[in-house]
Amino acid sequence: MTDAPQYLLVIYRATRETDGEEPIAPGYVAEELDRSPSTATETLQRLEARGYLEYEPYEGATLTDRGRETAAELHERYVVLSTFFRDVLELPEPRREAMQLVGSVSSVVTDRVAETLLDAEKAEADERPPSVE
């Protein structure tokens, strides 16, 4: 189940947009990940069996505490990768690229990328002439 991180991330992001009020429909997940509805449903059922979410047919998926914790970590990686791909590599679709890699990159790698981005921002700020007030 190599797509599990992407599924958790899509549900996490959608849950944040709805304030966690409603289950996330499998059709929405399928559309976001460009998967068939049946594939999305099967994957959601597997994620439920692994304890990451609760899935109700015709209702949707809700993250469990374990799923929410895992998805929050994935979201942090996703944000760092998206920023790196956009600002440093200047990729045309940084979010899509980040979504593809989010489950394949360790937190050590994203921590180092984040440090590098912060160091680059600091160096850039240090080279700016002082503002005239």
Side-chain angles (χ1 to χ4, degrees):
M1 182 169 26
T2 60
D3 288 346
Q6 288 83 11
Y7 279 77
L8 292 174
L9 187 54
V10 165
I11 294 168
Y12 179 80
R13 291 173 57 205
T15 299
R16 288 177 51 162
E17 291 175 12
T18 64
D19 294 326
E21 299 284 325
E22 302 174 18
I24 307 305
Y28 174 82
V29 176
E31 186 175 315
E32 286 293 304
L33 294 173
D34 195 26
R35 305 291 190 276
S36 71
S38 62
T39 298
T41 298
E42 289 172 13
T43 303
L44 293 173
Q45 290 169 338
R46 282 188 236 136
L47 287 169
E48 179 181 40
R50 293 177 59 192
Y52 289 107
L53 54 85
E54 294 175 2
Y55 176 71
E56 290 291 327
Y58 308 106
E59 295 282 327
T62 307
L63 294 170
T64 61
D65 289 340
R66 177 183 181 196
R68 200 170 5 273
E69 183 178 314
T70 301
E73 291 171 10
L74 289 167
H75 186 259
E76 288 177 22
R77 291 182 200 173
Y78 170 80
V79 168
V80 169
L81 290 172
S82 294
T83 302
F84 178 73
F85 293 156
R86 182 191 68 228
D87 295 351
V88 177
L89 299 183
E90 298 179 354
L91 296 178
E93 297 184 47
R95 292 180 185 167
R96 190 172 114 196
E97 296 291 341
M99 181 65 80
Q100 292 297 317
L101 290 177
V102 72
S104 302
V105 176
S106 72
S107 60
V108 172
V109 171
T110 52
D111 288 349
R112 296 271 169 86
V113 169
E115 289 171 15
T116 301
L117 289 171
L118 290 174
D119 288 346
E121 286 177 6
K122 184 179 181 303
E124 187 177 297
D126 289 345
E127 292 179 8
R128 289 186 189 136
S131 62
V132 178
E133 294 181 16

